[in-house]
Amino acid sequence: MVPLGAEALGLARPATGGRYGSMGAVPTVARWWSSRTDPQRIDLYTRWSYYSTLVLLPPLLLLAVAADWAGPGRWVVLLLGAATLATTGACLWLTHRGFADRTARPDPTALTVAVVAGAVTVGAAVPATADGPSPALPWVVGLVSAAVLLGLSVTVPTRPLCAGAAAGGLLAGGLSLAEGNPPAAALVVGVSIAVTLVALATAFRFTVWILDVVQEMERTRGVQAQLAVAEERLRFARDLHDVMGRNLSAIAVKSQLAAELVRRGREGAVAELTDISRVAEESLREVRDVVRGYRGSDLPGELAGARSVLRAAGVEVTVTGEDDAVALPTAVQTALGWVVREAVTNVLRHSRARTCTIGLSTSGGGADLRVVNDGVTADGDRGAGLTGLAERLAATGGRLSARREGDRFVLTASVPVGVRV
């Protein structure tokens, strides 16, 4: 019989052979880490720096006391261990709550447990050490103070932390002096512990500050992205309004004219319907250009289109300055072309105009366009078109003025000739 291997039995081989077996867990951890964003990595690093440092408190206390261990009773050992674990747990809870809500104050219950358990830890360390002066007790005070300050440093500012470090150094120096050490030695011990606590607390506080800055930058990026999306939506809505407003108004006017010609049996209906088809096809092309974001506006073409549309609506039109329009830069023609388009839309939609005058002039390094029409309706509401048009001109350094003079409406736009868009 042919022996069956692992493949024949349906068993998968290890990812990497050899004496060390599979190393599949390492890529899994790497993928998990690489899937996190930079702010998330910094957050994880900061949190676990706190947690790992606080977890080291019990063994560090044991090492500090072990040098002067005096063979205490079992109850002292149990009390010291329980108090140390309680202090560590309370400080871990303070840290966890601080990272969960950076704006909240420290949990008073956890803080009380940490302080009381820390005091019991120091008290239990006294009978656990040898008789006479012991250098271990001041450092026990320093370790307990460091744990409490670390738990507070997530939410408490630097100055209160430095004050707490100074208080811890003072307690350690006082305990050293009470044990019979010389005042100079007690002073050195107290200052050393205070400086160590200040350095530790400010270092961890600095990491929290860095985390706050990174998270704020991430939130700022998110806000900027949302603003960019909102601005692009406004731009698209404005462009779509400016493109379709006049064309749809022209289609409506020409449709009414064609219907009237058909009812009266007069010639010209076919021409008007053909023109409607042309305007519709042009609108479709312009909408596609708006979607792609490449649409421009030719001022002479806009002036000619305005004359044709308004005359078809029965408005007597006078256009001046067409020769100056050809000589203007493309950017200026684009800006003023939008003004002509919006002005014609307003004449058709918001007035019963009989006459309309469109004048273009160039002087003093700028181009001025003035559109005046009569037959203004009572409400005089021009909708959102002029608002978007004013924003468009303001972006190019130009300005827009719109006012009503009796039954006449005057729209004036000025654009610097040297504008770039």
Side-chain angles (χ1 to χ4, degrees):
M1 295 179 63
V2 179
L4 298 177
E7 294 84 350
L9 292 175
L11 302 176
R13 282 190 173 184
T16 56
R19 59 185 296 185
Y20 297 106
S22 175
M23 298 292 288
V26 175
T28 301
V29 175
R31 284 194 300 269
W32 173 82
W33 179 256
S34 61
S35 64
R36 298 297 188 270
T37 62
D38 289 339
Q40 290 174 339
R41 294 176 187 176
I42 295 176
D43 179 69
L44 288 172
Y45 171 79
T46 304
R47 288 173 182 263
W48 287 102
S49 296
Y50 270 86
Y51 297 152
S52 59
T53 303
L54 289 173
V55 169
L56 291 176
L57 177 62
L60 289 177
L61 276 174
L62 178 61
L63 292 176
V65 175
D68 295 330
W69 198 262
R74 181 177 298 177
W75 70 270
V76 176
V77 176
L78 294 177
L79 180 61
L80 179 61
T84 303
L85 293 176
T87 304
T88 303
C91 293
L92 287 172
W93 180 248
L94 278 175
T95 302
H96 174 73
R97 288 292 302 270
F99 280 115
D101 187 358
R102 299 280 292 103
T103 61
R105 294 184 177 182
D107 188 351
T109 303
L111 180 59
T112 302
V113 172
V115 173
V116 173
V120 174
T121 301
V122 175
V126 173
T129 55
D131 296 335
S134 173
L137 293 180
W139 289 105
V140 171
V141 175
L143 288 172
V144 172
S145 301
V148 176
L149 291 176
L150 284 183
L152 295 174
S153 64
V154 181
T155 55
V156 175
T158 304
R159 288 188 178 181
L161 293 177
C162 292
L170 183 62
L171 290 175
L175 182 59
S176 178
L177 184 63
E179 285 193 324
N181 290 302
L187 178 63
V188 170
V189 170
V191 171
S192 300
I193 292 177
V195 171
T196 303
L197 291 176
V198 168
L200 185 67
T202 53
F204 275 84
R205 181 63 188 170
F206 181 71
T207 61
V208 174
W209 176 78
I210 291 178
L211 177 61
D212 290 341
V213 171
V214 171
Q215 291 179 341
E216 183 64 27
M217 292 178 62
E218 186 71 9
R219 285 191 293 267
T220 302
R221 288 180 180 179
V223 172
Q224 289 177 344
Q226 293 176 358
L227 289 177
V229 172
E231 183 178 358
E232 181 61 20
R233 287 177 177 173
L234 290 175
R235 183 201 67 80
F236 183 80
R238 181 183 60 198
D239 290 356
L240 192 61
H241 174 276
D242 294 343
V243 166
M244 297 303 296
R246 193 203 67 173
N247 290 348
L248 291 178
S249 299
I251 291 174
V253 170
K254 288 181 176 294
S255 299
Q256 294 172 2
L257 179 58
E260 188 66 23
L261 292 175
V262 171
R263 279 196 299 268
R264 296 183 180 183
R266 299 176 58 181
E267 298 180 355
V270 175
E272 293 298 332
L273 292 174
T274 303
D275 204 16
I276 290 173
S277 177
R278 179 189 60 80
V279 174
E281 292 177 356
E282 181 182 353
S283 300
L284 180 60
R285 176 182 57 80
E286 290 178 348
V287 168
R288 289 172 177 171
D289 291 339
V290 167
V291 172
R292 289 193 295 265
Y294 294 120
R295 186 183 186 278
S297 180
D298 176 68
L299 183 55
E302 293 293 342
L303 291 174
R307 180 188 293 109
S308 174
V309 170
L310 290 176
R311 285 180 177 175
V315 180
E316 182 179 347
V317 186
T318 302
V319 179
T320 59
E322 290 182 273
D323 294 337
D324 296 333
V326 179
L328 290 175
T330 303
V332 178
Q333 291 193 35
T334 300
L336 294 181
W338 287 113
V339 177
V340 174
R341 182 179 288 266
E342 179 61 27
V344 172
T345 302
N346 286 337
V347 171
L348 295 175
R349 294 181 58 189
H350 303 290
S351 72
R352 298 187 180 91
R354 296 297 184 91
T355 62
C356 179
T357 301
I358 304 175
L360 175 67
S361 62
T362 57
S363 61
D368 298 325
L369 180 70
R370 179 183 173 89
V371 182
V372 182
N373 66 276
D374 60 1
V376 178
T377 55
D379 56 3
D381 184 14
R382 291 303 185 270
L386 292 182
T387 301
L389 190 60
E391 294 174 353
R392 187 189 298 276
L393 292 182
T396 65
R399 62 183 184 275
L400 183 72
S401 172
R403 65 183 184 277
R404 180 175 176 177
E405 298 177 354
D407 67 336
R408 299 166 65 86
F409 188 78
V410 181
L411 180 67
T412 305
S414 299
V415 180
V417 173
V419 66
R420 293 181 179 180
V421 293

